[in-house]
Amino acid sequence: MKQPSRPHLSAIGSLAVAALAAVASPASVAALYCTEGVVSGSLCLTNCATGIGIDVEAPQLITGIDVGQFQVIFDPSDPWHPKVHSTTTVQLTLPDNFKQLDLSFFGAGANLTIWAQGLPVATLGVADYRNVTGSSASSSVVLPLTPEAGDHLSPSSVTGYAGFEAFFEGATLTSGDVPFSLIGWADTEAIVTQSGIDGSADLCLRYVPVNVTTSLTGLGGLTQVTTEEPLVVGGSASTGIELSVPLAITSPSDNVLLVSNTDAIFDLQYLGSKVGTVTLANLTINPGVNSYNGTGYIYPDTTDSAAVSATRKLLSAFTGGNTTDVTITNGRPSNMPPLAAAFGAVTLIQHLPPNTIPLIVNTSVNIYGLTYSYPCNITATNPFGAPATITHLEATIWYLGVNVSYVNVDTNFVIPAYGVATTKVYVYSNPVIAVKFIGSVNTTTHNTFGNITSSMTIDFGGYSTIIDYNQNTVLTHITSVKTIT
């Protein structure tokens, strides 16, 4: 409601106290009303109960906003309107006469637009008035934003979904400050206890202009990743080798919290090829260390020769005790389009600790004279957390740098998870060379050490893959019944 003729103060100065007294005690003056809506450069002072008030040309009362820890909580059922949680502190710069009114703030609301890189990217909807704390003496108001109150972000009508995505992509990838502006207006309610006003009165400051720049600390691309040794926990013909991938991501931001409430699926790459996927469930980024137990699947596209080769090299390097670096990238959040650009641009380099358990425990052979084949018992251990079946073995046994025997055999050698098992195969060699270099003597048994180079086809729950494996100083127990000189 407005009147065609109303007083209008040129500044909050010496006349402000009298005007506020009139607002607070309207019985003594004619009813005055503010202009409806926002008037540039002015705010509205009203009696909260009666609506009687006055327009006031004002300096910028709100000169700073600290959003504190800014938590953004996404919901897959409504991804474009994430809830927010923040204890926001609004800094006020009040003229001296205004301070003298001894204002105690107890309620507030706002209508704000977030601007980034010169464009409006989101609106911050403060759903309704809520309790606040602050006073003219402290020159600040603490405004809580909560999901329970319905406070949320929405895409700007100007830049739409693209601007909304770009804002979160920037906050995710940027290191250091991510500046943005809050532009709009705020309302607040206060109790006035200034001398000269009869009793206390509720005073509403409406349409207070807001135009301040603040910042968040970016997530820095989430590049600080540490991991424990991934565990093979199963496998199937349809999904490949299943891994448990324990990892920790350290966020450098002290005030940005992202709660996705959705799974994020990333590509697992090695040597530039996609060898599988890693899924992080209900991905949440808090300040500091964030621990996850991801689920990985090694399952390359069998039509991609580079991917198949990279998978073989990855498994071989890990099994052989070599540290490997894999890349987790190209994140795809399930049912969460606002975070698609942010997660899609994240690249995590994960250092995989090597396997430290030798596969071959020992071998035992019996050499019966000048024969081209002889039985060999192989005792092996399984360093993986799922049963493994060796279905084919090709191996060469070396002694003092000389190839003394080899094996190329289909087998069904089952080794339980983290277990040990023994199988018998027949190895082949030139017996003269084999016995000469082993140094056997008639009906003598002794132990020696040889080196083995091999490739083996291993089946995990129906999924088969080839691993190249070499092991030095393998304990070999030899029984010989023929002397070769």
Side-chain angles (χ1 to χ4, degrees), residues 313-382:
K313 291 177 181 178
L314 170 62
L315 293 172
S316 301
F318 169 77
T319 307
N322 298 307
T323 299
T324 52
D325 289 347
V326 296
T327 301
I328 299 174
T329 188
N330 189 29
R332 301 173 296 281
S334 301
N335 301 315
M336 197 55 64
L339 295 178
F343 287 177
V346 167
T347 296
L348 311 177
I349 304 299
Q350 185 181 15
H351 303 280
L352 300 183
N355 167 51
T356 58
I357 303 175
L359 265 63
I360 302 173
V361 179
N362 59 61
T363 62
S364 176
V365 297
N366 294 317
I367 302 177
Y368 298 101
L370 295 174
T371 180
Y372 285 93
S373 72
Y374 46 89
C376 175
N377 291 326
I378 300 175
T379 300
T381 188
N382 179 3

Side-chain angles (χ1 to χ4, degrees), residues 365-408:
V365 297
N366 294 317
I367 302 177
Y368 298 101
L370 295 174
T371 180
Y372 285 93
S373 72
Y374 46 89
C376 175
N377 291 326
I378 300 175
T379 300
T381 188
N382 179 3
F384 303 113
T389 301
I390 299 176
T391 59
H392 187 81
L393 174 65
E394 296 182 33
T396 301
I397 302 172
W398 303 79
Y399 184 74
L400 298 178
V402 176
N403 175 351
V404 297
S405 55
Y406 70 94
V407 61
N408 186 345

Side-chain angles (χ1 to χ4, degrees), residues 156-168:
S156 162
S157 60
V158 177
T159 55
Y161 292 160
F164 202 68
E165 277 190 87
F167 177 69
F168 284 104

